[in-house]
Amino acid sequence: MHLGLNLVSGEIVCSDLTADDVVDPTALPGLLDQIGGPVEKFIADGAYDGTPTRDLLATRFGEIVEVIIPPPKTAVASPQSVLVPP
């Protein structure tokens, strides 16, 4: 089961029940199709981590959407990443 929530109102804004072989990012376009308004913040688990998810969200909702997805435990920094000192 895939759910999208409005964290302010607690309302379920999108949902889908898929087979076990459907991974989270594959279900995302259909979930986003169900949302009738703008999205300012997208919070998800590490299964959604990656450029395809970020690109899809930027295409659908613009560059202002804040994406919060923790990287998976096995993630490594890419050569393009920039470390910002604290």
Side-chain angles (χ1 to χ4, degrees):
M1 175 173 272
H2 307 273
L3 293 174
L5 304 174
N6 177 323
L7 296 179
V8 175
S9 69
E11 175 187 11
I12 296 173
V13 295
C14 59
S15 64
D16 196 8
L17 183 59
T18 59
D20 288 341
D21 62 342
V22 176
V23 294
D24 293 348
T26 304
L28 187 57
L31 291 167
L32 297 180
D33 288 343
Q34 298 175 36
I35 299 173
V39 171
E40 296 174 5
K41 187 179 291 188
F42 179 87
I43 303 171
D45 64 24
Y48 288 91
D49 186 43
T51 301
T53 295
R54 293 174 190 281
D55 289 348
L56 177 61
L57 291 167
T59 299
R60 297 276 183 112
F61 302 113
E63 294 293 330
I64 63 164
V65 65
E66 181 182 4
V67 180
I68 302 171
I69 303 172
K73 292 179 185 179
T74 58
V76 294
S78 73
Q80 294 84 16
S81 65
V82 177
L83 296 176
V84 178

